Amino acid sequence: MKFFIDTANIEEIKDALSMGMVDGVTTNPSLIAKENGSFKDIINEICKVVDGPISAEVISIDTEGMVSEARPLASISENIVIKVPMTIDGIKATRILASEGIKTNVTLVFSPLQALMAAKAGATYVSPFIGRLDDLSQDGLVLVEQIVDIYNNYAYNTEVIVASIRSPLHVLESALLGADIATIPYNVLSKLAAHPMTDKGLKAFLNDWEKKSK
Ligand code: G3P
């Protein structure tokens, strides 16, 4: 399973890179807005340190605007993936960008049929937002399961990026369901490594070692 990091913060990205846990990066306008610097500068900086797909989202809501934003963004690096919203205009833009060899990540996906349309339009990636479904008392992981099944049924190449991840359990269940990628916020990534029995065991080993050296 590939781990992407869901942040535009360069320090978080560098730290996750030092763990070897960054196969790619996803950003969105909300994540970019939290950081200092222009959108282009932030994306350029990420491109300098990450060797993998980096999602940068358009803010236009019409097809023509999305495509016009996408082309210069895609020229920054071959690693750039254009994130487009799951709307009819976004699907049209995905189709155009796919025909130009520009990679896309169809975002804000909340239903399996949206994911099917994204794949048919030629999306490179699709991003189901599971945490936001959980917030509505709907099981976001059921959506992941349905998308994985549909894509397997018809051998679509579109990769599933599980997004809006809020907990380690989301990552575990996504892995068990066979999702290609989890895009993980930095705070959740840190939690994946934690276990109280590891801490307890390490403390006991160090205590015993201390006694022996006396
Ligand atoms: O990748 C999409 C993700 O950033 C959305 O997460 O927590 O805002 O629902 P969240």
Side-chain angles (χ1 to χ4, degrees), residues 150-190:
I150 291 169
Y151 284 8
N152 284 341
N153 284 346
Y154 298 100
Y156 283 114
N157 290 326
T158 305
E159 290 189 69
V160 180
I161 304 180
V162 182
S164 186
I165 280 180
R166 306 274 172 79
S167 69
L169 208 50
H170 276 158
V171 180
L172 171 63
E173 294 293 340
S174 299
L176 290 170
L177 290 170
D180 302 283
I181 301 146
T183 190
I184 308 172
Y186 181 78
N187 71 316
V188 176
L189 186 63
S190 316

PDB file of all heavy atoms in Angstrom, residues 150-190:
ATOM      1  N   ILE A 150     -15.803  -2.232  -7.726  1.00  0.00           N
ATOM      2  CA  ILE A 150     -16.168  -1.793  -9.089  1.00  0.00           C
ATOM      3  C   ILE A 150     -14.929  -1.712  -9.973  1.00  0.00           C
ATOM      4  O   ILE A 150     -14.916  -2.204 -11.108  1.00  0.00           O
ATOM      5  CB  ILE A 150     -16.909  -0.432  -9.048  1.00  0.00           C
ATOM      6  CG1 ILE A 150     -18.288  -0.594  -8.410  1.00  0.00           C
ATOM      7  CG2 ILE A 150     -17.046   0.155 -10.461  1.00  0.00           C
ATOM      8  CD1 ILE A 150     -18.986   0.723  -8.072  1.00  0.00           C
ATOM      9  N   TYR A 151     -13.878  -1.103  -9.452  1.00  0.00           N
ATOM     10  CA  TYR A 151     -12.659  -0.970 -10.261  1.00  0.00           C
ATOM     11  C   TYR A 151     -12.074  -2.344 -10.585  1.00  0.00           C
ATOM     12  O   TYR A 151     -11.563  -2.561 -11.696  1.00  0.00           O
ATOM     13  CB  TYR A 151     -11.628  -0.091  -9.541  1.00  0.00           C
ATOM     14  CG  TYR A 151     -11.926   1.398  -9.568  1.00  0.00           C
ATOM     15  CD1 TYR A 151     -13.134   1.888 -10.070  1.00  0.00           C
ATOM     16  CD2 TYR A 151     -11.008   2.326  -9.107  1.00  0.00           C
ATOM     17  CE1 TYR A 151     -13.406   3.249 -10.090  1.00  0.00           C
ATOM     18  CE2 TYR A 151     -11.262   3.694  -9.129  1.00  0.00           C
ATOM     19  CZ  TYR A 151     -12.464   4.146  -9.616  1.00  0.00           C
ATOM     20  OH  TYR A 151     -12.719   5.494  -9.634  1.00  0.00           O
ATOM     21  N   ASN A 152     -12.145  -3.263  -9.626  1.00  0.00           N
ATOM     22  CA  ASN A 152     -11.642  -4.628  -9.893  1.00  0.00           C
ATOM     23  C   ASN A 152     -12.520  -5.339 -10.920  1.00  0.00           C
ATOM     24  O   ASN A 152     -12.023  -6.032 -11.805  1.00  0.00           O
ATOM     25  CB  ASN A 152     -11.577  -5.454  -8.605  1.00  0.00           C
ATOM     26  CG  ASN A 152     -10.390  -5.051  -7.747  1.00  0.00           C
ATOM     27  OD1 ASN A 152      -9.445  -4.435  -8.233  1.00  0.00           O
ATOM     28  ND2 ASN A 152     -10.443  -5.382  -6.472  1.00  0.00           N
ATOM     29  N   ASN A 153     -13.850  -5.159 -10.808  1.00  0.00           N
ATOM     30  CA  ASN A 153     -14.771  -5.827 -11.738  1.00  0.00           C
ATOM     31  C   ASN A 153     -14.453  -5.506 -13.187  1.00  0.00           C
ATOM     32  O   ASN A 153     -14.605  -6.344 -14.071  1.00  0.00           O
ATOM     33  CB  ASN A 153     -16.220  -5.385 -11.479  1.00  0.00           C
ATOM     34  CG  ASN A 153     -16.807  -6.034 -10.238  1.00  0.00           C
ATOM     35  OD1 ASN A 153     -16.232  -6.990  -9.720  1.00  0.00           O
ATOM     36  ND2 ASN A 153     -17.932  -5.514  -9.760  1.00  0.00           N
ATOM     37  N   TYR A 154     -14.053  -4.252 -13.420  1.00  0.00           N
ATOM     38  CA  TYR A 154     -13.859  -3.800 -14.798  1.00  0.00           C
ATOM     39  C   TYR A 154     -12.408  -3.466 -15.127  1.00  0.00           C
ATOM     40  O   TYR A 154     -12.127  -2.892 -16.180  1.00  0.00           O
ATOM     41  CB  TYR A 154     -14.778  -2.591 -15.076  1.00  0.00           C
ATOM     42  CG  TYR A 154     -16.228  -2.989 -14.935  1.00  0.00           C
ATOM     43  CD1 TYR A 154     -16.929  -2.689 -13.769  1.00  0.00           C
ATOM     44  CD2 TYR A 154     -16.864  -3.717 -15.933  1.00  0.00           C
ATOM     45  CE1 TYR A 154     -18.254  -3.101 -13.618  1.00  0.00           C
ATOM     46  CE2 TYR A 154     -18.173  -4.128 -15.780  1.00  0.00           C
ATOM     47  CZ  TYR A 154     -18.861  -3.816 -14.634  1.00  0.00           C
ATOM     48  OH  TYR A 154     -20.156  -4.232 -14.482  1.00  0.00           O
ATOM     49  N   ALA A 155     -11.509  -3.832 -14.209  1.00  0.00           N
ATOM     50  CA  ALA A 155     -10.066  -3.625 -14.420  1.00  0.00           C
ATOM     51  C   ALA A 155      -9.714  -2.176 -14.789  1.00  0.00           C
ATOM     52  O   ALA A 155      -8.914  -1.939 -15.697  1.00  0.00           O
ATOM     53  CB  ALA A 155      -9.543  -4.602 -15.476  1.00  0.00           C
ATOM     54  N   TYR A 156     -10.332  -1.228 -14.081  1.00  0.00           N
ATOM     55  CA  TYR A 156      -9.935   0.177 -14.282  1.00  0.00           C
ATOM     56  C   TYR A 156      -8.549   0.396 -13.686  1.00  0.00           C
ATOM     57  O   TYR A 156      -8.219  -0.192 -12.645  1.00  0.00           O
ATOM     58  CB  TYR A 156     -10.926   1.130 -13.603  1.00  0.00           C
ATOM     59  CG  TYR A 156     -12.199   1.300 -14.385  1.00  0.00           C
ATOM     60  CD1 TYR A 156     -13.413   0.848 -13.872  1.00  0.00           C
ATOM     61  CD2 TYR A 156     -12.205   1.909 -15.641  1.00  0.00           C
ATOM     62  CE1 TYR A 156     -14.594   0.989 -14.581  1.00  0.00           C
ATOM     63  CE2 TYR A 156     -13.379   2.052 -16.363  1.00  0.00           C
ATOM     64  CZ  TYR A 156     -14.567   1.590 -15.828  1.00  0.00           C
ATOM     65  OH  TYR A 156     -15.725   1.724 -16.543  1.00  0.00           O
ATOM     66  N   ASN A 157      -7.779   1.256 -14.338  1.00  0.00           N
ATOM     67  CA  ASN A 157      -6.438   1.550 -13.819  1.00  0.00           C
ATOM     68  C   ASN A 157      -6.445   2.678 -12.792  1.00  0.00           C
ATOM     69  O   ASN A 157      -5.425   2.934 -12.157  1.00  0.00           O
ATOM     70  CB  ASN A 157      -5.501   1.961 -14.970  1.00  0.00           C
ATOM     71  CG  ASN A 157      -5.205   0.776 -15.861  1.00  0.00           C
ATOM     72  OD1 ASN A 157      -5.114  -0.359 -15.373  1.00  0.00           O
ATOM     73  ND2 ASN A 157      -5.067   1.024 -17.150  1.00  0.00           N
ATOM     74  N   THR A 158      -7.557   3.385 -12.677  1.00  0.00           N
ATOM     75  CA  THR A 158      -7.640   4.497 -11.720  1.00  0.00           C
ATOM     76  C   THR A 158      -7.325   3.976 -10.323  1.00  0.00           C
ATOM     77  O   THR A 158      -7.873   2.958  -9.891  1.00  0.00           O
ATOM     78  CB  THR A 158      -9.069   5.097 -11.738  1.00  0.00           C
ATOM     79  OG1 THR A 158      -9.372   5.453 -13.089  1.00  0.00           O
ATOM     80  CG2 THR A 158      -9.172   6.310 -10.833  1.00  0.00           C
ATOM     81  N   GLU A 159      -6.429   4.692  -9.627  1.00  0.00           N
ATOM     82  CA  GLU A 159      -6.049   4.240  -8.282  1.00  0.00           C
ATOM     83  C   GLU A 159      -6.887   4.952  -7.218  1.00  0.00           C
ATOM     84  O   GLU A 159      -7.215   6.139  -7.359  1.00  0.00           O
ATOM     85  CB  GLU A 159      -4.560   4.508  -8.043  1.00  0.00           C
ATOM     86  CG  GLU A 159      -3.670   3.610  -8.883  1.00  0.00           C
ATOM     87  CD  GLU A 159      -2.206   3.728  -8.480  1.00  0.00           C
ATOM     88  OE1 GLU A 159      -1.850   3.282  -7.386  1.00  0.00           O
ATOM     89  OE2 GLU A 159      -1.440   4.275  -9.285  1.00  0.00           O
ATOM     90  N   VAL A 160      -7.214   4.196  -6.191  1.00  0.00           N
ATOM     91  CA  VAL A 160      -8.055   4.731  -5.109  1.00  0.00           C
ATOM     92  C   VAL A 160      -7.173   5.333  -4.018  1.00  0.00           C
ATOM     93  O   VAL A 160      -6.369   4.626  -3.395  1.00  0.00           O
ATOM     94  CB  VAL A 160      -8.950   3.623  -4.510  1.00  0.00           C
ATOM     95  CG1 VAL A 160      -9.822   4.184  -3.388  1.00  0.00           C
ATOM     96  CG2 VAL A 160      -9.804   2.974  -5.597  1.00  0.00           C
ATOM     97  N   ILE A 161      -7.332   6.644  -3.808  1.00  0.00           N
ATOM     98  CA  ILE A 161      -6.646   7.322  -2.698  1.00  0.00           C
ATOM     99  C   ILE A 161      -7.690   7.535  -1.602  1.00  0.00           C
ATOM    100  O   ILE A 161      -8.591   8.369  -1.759  1.00  0.00           O
ATOM    101  CB  ILE A 161      -6.111   8.719  -3.101  1.00  0.00           C
ATOM    102  CG1 ILE A 161      -5.176   8.655  -4.315  1.00  0.00           C
ATOM    103  CG2 ILE A 161      -5.428   9.379  -1.919  1.00  0.00           C
ATOM    104  CD1 ILE A 161      -4.616  10.031  -4.749  1.00  0.00           C
ATOM    105  N   VAL A 162      -7.579   6.802  -0.516  1.00  0.00           N
ATOM    106  CA  VAL A 162      -8.528   7.030   0.585  1.00  0.00           C
ATOM    107  C   VAL A 162      -8.140   8.340   1.268  1.00  0.00           C
ATOM    108  O   VAL A 162      -6.997   8.507   1.720  1.00  0.00           O
ATOM    109  CB  VAL A 162      -8.521   5.859   1.587  1.00  0.00           C
ATOM    110  CG1 VAL A 162      -9.545   6.116   2.687  1.00  0.00           C
ATOM    111  CG2 VAL A 162      -8.826   4.549   0.869  1.00  0.00           C
ATOM    112  N   ALA A 163      -9.085   9.282   1.294  1.00  0.00           N
ATOM    113  CA  ALA A 163      -8.816  10.629   1.813  1.00  0.00           C
ATOM    114  C   ALA A 163      -9.765  10.956   2.956  1.00  0.00           C
ATOM    115  O   ALA A 163     -10.696  10.193   3.235  1.00  0.00           O
ATOM    116  CB  ALA A 163      -8.974  11.646   0.689  1.00  0.00           C
ATOM    117  N   SER A 164      -9.494  12.089   3.597  1.00  0.00           N
ATOM    118  CA  SER A 164     -10.250  12.490   4.787  1.00  0.00           C
ATOM    119  C   SER A 164     -10.127  11.404   5.865  1.00  0.00           C
ATOM    120  O   SER A 164     -11.105  11.000   6.484  1.00  0.00           O
ATOM    121  CB  SER A 164     -11.715  12.758   4.416  1.00  0.00           C
ATOM    122  OG  SER A 164     -12.447  13.275   5.501  1.00  0.00           O
ATOM    123  N   ILE A 165      -8.880  10.969   6.029  1.00  0.00           N
ATOM    124  CA  ILE A 165      -8.565   9.942   7.033  1.00  0.00           C
ATOM    125  C   ILE A 165      -8.412  10.624   8.386  1.00  0.00           C
ATOM    126  O   ILE A 165      -7.738  11.645   8.501  1.00  0.00           O
ATOM    127  CB  ILE A 165      -7.278   9.195   6.609  1.00  0.00           C
ATOM    128  CG1 ILE A 165      -7.652   8.148   5.548  1.00  0.00           C
ATOM    129  CG2 ILE A 165      -6.559   8.572   7.799  1.00  0.00           C
ATOM    130  CD1 ILE A 165      -6.505   7.338   5.029  1.00  0.00           C
ATOM    131  N   ARG A 166      -9.067  10.053   9.383  1.00  0.00           N
ATOM    132  CA  ARG A 166      -9.050  10.694  10.705  1.00  0.00           C
ATOM    133  C   ARG A 166      -8.383   9.844  11.787  1.00  0.00           C
ATOM    134  O   ARG A 166      -8.134  10.347  12.879  1.00  0.00           O
ATOM    135  CB  ARG A 166     -10.488  10.985  11.143  1.00  0.00           C
ATOM    136  CG  ARG A 166     -11.317  11.794  10.148  1.00  0.00           C
ATOM    137  CD  ARG A 166     -11.113  13.278  10.343  1.00  0.00           C
ATOM    138  NE  ARG A 166     -11.756  14.043   9.269  1.00  0.00           N
ATOM    139  CZ  ARG A 166     -13.051  14.306   9.197  1.00  0.00           C
ATOM    140  NH1 ARG A 166     -13.868  13.853  10.136  1.00  0.00           N
ATOM    141  NH2 ARG A 166     -13.532  15.012   8.198  1.00  0.00           N
ATOM    142  N   SER A 167      -8.143   8.549  11.501  1.00  0.00           N
ATOM    143  CA  SER A 167      -7.633   7.680  12.568  1.00  0.00           C
ATOM    144  C   SER A 167      -6.826   6.527  11.982  1.00  0.00           C
ATOM    145  O   SER A 167      -6.990   6.173  10.794  1.00  0.00           O
ATOM    146  CB  SER A 167      -8.796   7.090  13.356  1.00  0.00           C
ATOM    147  OG  SER A 167      -9.488   6.173  12.533  1.00  0.00           O
ATOM    148  N   PRO A 168      -5.981   5.889  12.815  1.00  0.00           N
ATOM    149  CA  PRO A 168      -5.245   4.705  12.346  1.00  0.00           C
ATOM    150  C   PRO A 168      -6.178   3.607  11.840  1.00  0.00           C
ATOM    151  O   PRO A 168      -5.844   2.897  10.892  1.00  0.00           O
ATOM    152  CB  PRO A 168      -4.488   4.254  13.605  1.00  0.00           C
ATOM    153  CG  PRO A 168      -4.293   5.506  14.398  1.00  0.00           C
ATOM    154  CD  PRO A 168      -5.550   6.303  14.169  1.00  0.00           C
ATOM    155  N   LEU A 169      -7.352   3.464  12.460  1.00  0.00           N
ATOM    156  CA  LEU A 169      -8.292   2.427  12.024  1.00  0.00           C
ATOM    157  C   LEU A 169      -8.719   2.649  10.566  1.00  0.00           C
ATOM    158  O   LEU A 169      -8.913   1.683   9.819  1.00  0.00           O
ATOM    159  CB  LEU A 169      -9.517   2.425  12.953  1.00  0.00           C
ATOM    160  CG  LEU A 169     -10.265   1.109  13.112  1.00  0.00           C
ATOM    161  CD1 LEU A 169      -9.340  -0.046  13.451  1.00  0.00           C
ATOM    162  CD2 LEU A 169     -11.362   1.242  14.171  1.00  0.00           C
ATOM    163  N   HIS A 170      -8.857   3.888  10.166  1.00  0.00           N
ATOM    164  CA  HIS A 170      -9.172   4.180   8.756  1.00  0.00           C
ATOM    165  C   HIS A 170      -8.079   3.619   7.839  1.00  0.00           C
ATOM    166  O   HIS A 170      -8.370   3.096   6.764  1.00  0.00           O
ATOM    167  CB  HIS A 170      -9.259   5.695   8.531  1.00  0.00           C
ATOM    168  CG  HIS A 170     -10.598   6.285   8.865  1.00  0.00           C
ATOM    169  ND1 HIS A 170     -10.767   7.621   9.164  1.00  0.00           N
ATOM    170  CD2 HIS A 170     -11.828   5.739   8.929  1.00  0.00           C
ATOM    171  CE1 HIS A 170     -12.055   7.862   9.387  1.00  0.00           C
ATOM    172  NE2 HIS A 170     -12.713   6.734   9.254  1.00  0.00           N
ATOM    173  N   VAL A 171      -6.824   3.756   8.264  1.00  0.00           N
ATOM    174  CA  VAL A 171      -5.703   3.265   7.438  1.00  0.00           C
ATOM    175  C   VAL A 171      -5.725   1.743   7.403  1.00  0.00           C
ATOM    176  O   VAL A 171      -5.608   1.130   6.338  1.00  0.00           O
ATOM    177  CB  VAL A 171      -4.349   3.777   7.987  1.00  0.00           C
ATOM    178  CG1 VAL A 171      -3.197   3.273   7.120  1.00  0.00           C
ATOM    179  CG2 VAL A 171      -4.338   5.302   8.057  1.00  0.00           C
ATOM    180  N   LEU A 172      -5.918   1.130   8.572  1.00  0.00           N
ATOM    181  CA  LEU A 172      -5.950  -0.334   8.653  1.00  0.00           C
ATOM    182  C   LEU A 172      -7.057  -0.897   7.763  1.00  0.00           C
ATOM    183  O   LEU A 172      -6.813  -1.799   6.939  1.00  0.00           O
ATOM    184  CB  LEU A 172      -6.172  -0.771  10.115  1.00  0.00           C
ATOM    185  CG  LEU A 172      -6.442  -2.262  10.323  1.00  0.00           C
ATOM    186  CD1 LEU A 172      -5.257  -3.105   9.888  1.00  0.00           C
ATOM    187  CD2 LEU A 172      -6.792  -2.554  11.776  1.00  0.00           C
ATOM    188  N   GLU A 173      -8.261  -0.379   7.915  1.00  0.00           N
ATOM    189  CA  GLU A 173      -9.394  -0.908   7.138  1.00  0.00           C
ATOM    190  C   GLU A 173      -9.191  -0.666   5.640  1.00  0.00           C
ATOM    191  O   GLU A 173      -9.542  -1.512   4.817  1.00  0.00           O
ATOM    192  CB  GLU A 173     -10.713  -0.272   7.612  1.00  0.00           C
ATOM    193  CG  GLU A 173     -11.108  -0.635   9.037  1.00  0.00           C
ATOM    194  CD  GLU A 173     -11.459  -2.116   9.214  1.00  0.00           C
ATOM    195  OE1 GLU A 173     -11.765  -2.801   8.226  1.00  0.00           O
ATOM    196  OE2 GLU A 173     -11.393  -2.593  10.365  1.00  0.00           O
ATOM    197  N   SER A 174      -8.620   0.466   5.290  1.00  0.00           N
ATOM    198  CA  SER A 174      -8.363   0.749   3.866  1.00  0.00           C
ATOM    199  C   SER A 174      -7.374  -0.257   3.298  1.00  0.00           C
ATOM    200  O   SER A 174      -7.532  -0.732   2.160  1.00  0.00           O
ATOM    201  CB  SER A 174      -7.799   2.163   3.687  1.00  0.00           C
ATOM    202  OG  SER A 174      -8.726   3.105   4.161  1.00  0.00           O
ATOM    203  N   ALA A 175      -6.368  -0.608   4.092  1.00  0.00           N
ATOM    204  CA  ALA A 175      -5.373  -1.591   3.643  1.00  0.00           C
ATOM    205  C   ALA A 175      -6.036  -2.961   3.481  1.00  0.00           C
ATOM    206  O   ALA A 175      -5.785  -3.672   2.506  1.00  0.00           O
ATOM    207  CB  ALA A 175      -4.219  -1.655   4.632  1.00  0.00           C
ATOM    208  N   LEU A 176      -6.898  -3.324   4.438  1.00  0.00           N
ATOM    209  CA  LEU A 176      -7.568  -4.627   4.362  1.00  0.00           C
ATOM    210  C   LEU A 176      -8.498  -4.702   3.145  1.00  0.00           C
ATOM    211  O   LEU A 176      -8.704  -5.778   2.569  1.00  0.00           O
ATOM    212  CB  LEU A 176      -8.359  -4.908   5.652  1.00  0.00           C
ATOM    213  CG  LEU A 176      -7.483  -5.176   6.893  1.00  0.00           C
ATOM    214  CD1 LEU A 176      -8.325  -5.191   8.160  1.00  0.00           C
ATOM    215  CD2 LEU A 176      -6.743  -6.501   6.749  1.00  0.00           C
ATOM    216  N   LEU A 177      -9.059  -3.558   2.761  1.00  0.00           N
ATOM    217  CA  LEU A 177      -9.975  -3.530   1.611  1.00  0.00           C
ATOM    218  C   LEU A 177      -9.228  -3.488   0.275  1.00  0.00           C
ATOM    219  O   LEU A 177      -9.840  -3.589  -0.784  1.00  0.00           O
ATOM    220  CB  LEU A 177     -10.897  -2.312   1.707  1.00  0.00           C
ATOM    221  CG  LEU A 177     -11.946  -2.368   2.827  1.00  0.00           C
ATOM    222  CD1 LEU A 177     -12.628  -1.008   2.984  1.00  0.00           C
ATOM    223  CD2 LEU A 177     -12.978  -3.445   2.546  1.00  0.00           C
ATOM    224  N   GLY A 178      -7.921  -3.296   0.335  1.00  0.00           N
ATOM    225  CA  GLY A 178      -7.131  -3.297  -0.899  1.00  0.00           C
ATOM    226  C   GLY A 178      -7.099  -1.955  -1.607  1.00  0.00           C
ATOM    227  O   GLY A 178      -6.834  -1.911  -2.816  1.00  0.00           O
ATOM    228  N   ALA A 179      -7.348  -0.866  -0.875  1.00  0.00           N
ATOM    229  CA  ALA A 179      -7.211   0.465  -1.503  1.00  0.00           C
ATOM    230  C   ALA A 179      -5.742   0.665  -1.888  1.00  0.00           C
ATOM    231  O   ALA A 179      -4.843   0.209  -1.185  1.00  0.00           O
ATOM    232  CB  ALA A 179      -7.665   1.548  -0.534  1.00  0.00           C
ATOM    233  N   ASP A 180      -5.511   1.345  -3.001  1.00  0.00           N
ATOM    234  CA  ASP A 180      -4.138   1.506  -3.481  1.00  0.00           C
ATOM    235  C   ASP A 180      -3.312   2.395  -2.554  1.00  0.00           C
ATOM    236  O   ASP A 180      -2.125   2.153  -2.333  1.00  0.00           O
ATOM    237  CB  ASP A 180      -4.140   2.148  -4.886  1.00  0.00           C
ATOM    238  CG  ASP A 180      -4.941   1.322  -5.877  1.00  0.00           C
ATOM    239  OD1 ASP A 180      -4.428   0.298  -6.323  1.00  0.00           O
ATOM    240  OD2 ASP A 180      -6.108   1.701  -6.169  1.00  0.00           O
ATOM    241  N   ILE A 181      -3.981   3.462  -2.069  1.00  0.00           N
ATOM    242  CA  ILE A 181      -3.241   4.528  -1.371  1.00  0.00           C
ATOM    243  C   ILE A 181      -4.096   5.034  -0.208  1.00  0.00           C
ATOM    244  O   ILE A 181      -5.318   5.147  -0.330  1.00  0.00           O
ATOM    245  CB  ILE A 181      -2.995   5.723  -2.337  1.00  0.00           C
ATOM    246  CG1 ILE A 181      -2.191   5.268  -3.558  1.00  0.00           C
ATOM    247  CG2 ILE A 181      -2.298   6.886  -1.629  1.00  0.00           C
ATOM    248  CD1 ILE A 181      -2.548   5.992  -4.833  1.00  0.00           C
ATOM    249  N   ALA A 182      -3.423   5.376   0.902  1.00  0.00           N
ATOM    250  CA  ALA A 182      -4.084   6.158   1.951  1.00  0.00           C
ATOM    251  C   ALA A 182      -3.355   7.487   1.999  1.00  0.00           C
ATOM    252  O   ALA A 182      -2.114   7.496   2.054  1.00  0.00           O
ATOM    253  CB  ALA A 182      -3.973   5.456   3.295  1.00  0.00           C
ATOM    254  N   THR A 183      -4.088   8.591   1.949  1.00  0.00           N
ATOM    255  CA  THR A 183      -3.418   9.874   2.146  1.00  0.00           C
ATOM    256  C   THR A 183      -3.674  10.291   3.585  1.00  0.00           C
ATOM    257  O   THR A 183      -4.817  10.460   4.017  1.00  0.00           O
ATOM    258  CB  THR A 183      -3.794  10.943   1.099  1.00  0.00           C
ATOM    259  OG1 THR A 183      -2.898  12.044   1.293  1.00  0.00           O
ATOM    260  CG2 THR A 183      -5.241  11.399   1.136  1.00  0.00           C
ATOM    261  N   ILE A 184      -2.580  10.383   4.324  1.00  0.00           N
ATOM    262  CA  ILE A 184      -2.665  10.398   5.786  1.00  0.00           C
ATOM    263  C   ILE A 184      -2.206  11.746   6.330  1.00  0.00           C
ATOM    264  O   ILE A 184      -1.108  12.213   5.999  1.00  0.00           O
ATOM    265  CB  ILE A 184      -1.766   9.263   6.346  1.00  0.00           C
ATOM    266  CG1 ILE A 184      -2.115   7.926   5.663  1.00  0.00           C
ATOM    267  CG2 ILE A 184      -1.892   9.155   7.850  1.00  0.00           C
ATOM    268  CD1 ILE A 184      -1.155   6.792   6.007  1.00  0.00           C
ATOM    269  N   PRO A 185      -3.014  12.378   7.190  1.00  0.00           N
ATOM    270  CA  PRO A 185      -2.540  13.601   7.838  1.00  0.00           C
ATOM    271  C   PRO A 185      -1.367  13.268   8.770  1.00  0.00           C
ATOM    272  O   PRO A 185      -1.302  12.151   9.307  1.00  0.00           O
ATOM    273  CB  PRO A 185      -3.753  14.090   8.646  1.00  0.00           C
ATOM    274  CG  PRO A 185      -4.923  13.318   8.145  1.00  0.00           C
ATOM    275  CD  PRO A 185      -4.382  12.036   7.598  1.00  0.00           C
ATOM    276  N   TYR A 186      -0.479  14.236   8.983  1.00  0.00           N
ATOM    277  CA  TYR A 186       0.737  14.006   9.776  1.00  0.00           C
ATOM    278  C   TYR A 186       0.408  13.481  11.174  1.00  0.00           C
ATOM    279  O   TYR A 186       1.057  12.568  11.668  1.00  0.00           O
ATOM    280  CB  TYR A 186       1.515  15.322   9.861  1.00  0.00           C
ATOM    281  CG  TYR A 186       2.794  15.234  10.632  1.00  0.00           C
ATOM    282  CD1 TYR A 186       3.929  14.678  10.051  1.00  0.00           C
ATOM    283  CD2 TYR A 186       2.875  15.713  11.943  1.00  0.00           C
ATOM    284  CE1 TYR A 186       5.120  14.594  10.758  1.00  0.00           C
ATOM    285  CE2 TYR A 186       4.055  15.634  12.652  1.00  0.00           C
ATOM    286  CZ  TYR A 186       5.176  15.069  12.060  1.00  0.00           C
ATOM    287  OH  TYR A 186       6.348  14.987  12.767  1.00  0.00           O
ATOM    288  N   ASN A 187      -0.630  14.040  11.809  1.00  0.00           N
ATOM    289  CA  ASN A 187      -0.936  13.613  13.184  1.00  0.00           C
ATOM    290  C   ASN A 187      -1.371  12.148  13.240  1.00  0.00           C
ATOM    291  O   ASN A 187      -1.068  11.426  14.186  1.00  0.00           O
ATOM    292  CB  ASN A 187      -1.984  14.530  13.835  1.00  0.00           C
ATOM    293  CG  ASN A 187      -3.367  14.356  13.243  1.00  0.00           C
ATOM    294  OD1 ASN A 187      -3.517  14.268  12.024  1.00  0.00           O
ATOM    295  ND2 ASN A 187      -4.384  14.285  14.072  1.00  0.00           N
ATOM    296  N   VAL A 188      -2.033  11.684  12.187  1.00  0.00           N
ATOM    297  CA  VAL A 188      -2.454  10.272  12.148  1.00  0.00           C
ATOM    298  C   VAL A 188      -1.251   9.380  11.844  1.00  0.00           C
ATOM    299  O   VAL A 188      -1.106   8.297  12.429  1.00  0.00           O
ATOM    300  CB  VAL A 188      -3.593  10.048  11.119  1.00  0.00           C
ATOM    301  CG1 VAL A 188      -3.959   8.567  11.020  1.00  0.00           C
ATOM    302  CG2 VAL A 188      -4.823  10.873  11.488  1.00  0.00           C
ATOM    303  N   LEU A 189      -0.349   9.863  10.989  1.00  0.00           N
ATOM    304  CA  LEU A 189       0.855   9.083  10.658  1.00  0.00           C
ATOM    305  C   LEU A 189       1.649   8.779  11.937  1.00  0.00           C
ATOM    306  O   LEU A 189       2.091   7.644  12.146  1.00  0.00           O
ATOM    307  CB  LEU A 189       1.717   9.876   9.669  1.00  0.00           C
ATOM    308  CG  LEU A 189       2.937   9.171   9.101  1.00  0.00           C
ATOM    309  CD1 LEU A 189       2.537   7.942   8.285  1.00  0.00           C
ATOM    310  CD2 LEU A 189       3.745  10.119   8.230  1.00  0.00           C
ATOM    311  N   SER A 190       1.788   9.791  12.803  1.00  0.00           N
ATOM    312  CA  SER A 190       2.533   9.574  14.056  1.00  0.00           C
ATOM    313  C   SER A 190       1.846   8.515  14.905  1.00  0.00           C
ATOM    314  O   SER A 190       2.512   7.696  15.549  1.00  0.00           O
ATOM    315  CB  SER A 190       2.621  10.869  14.868  1.00  0.00           C
ATOM    316  OG  SER A 190       2.947  11.935  14.026  1.00  0.00           O
TER     317      SER A 190
END
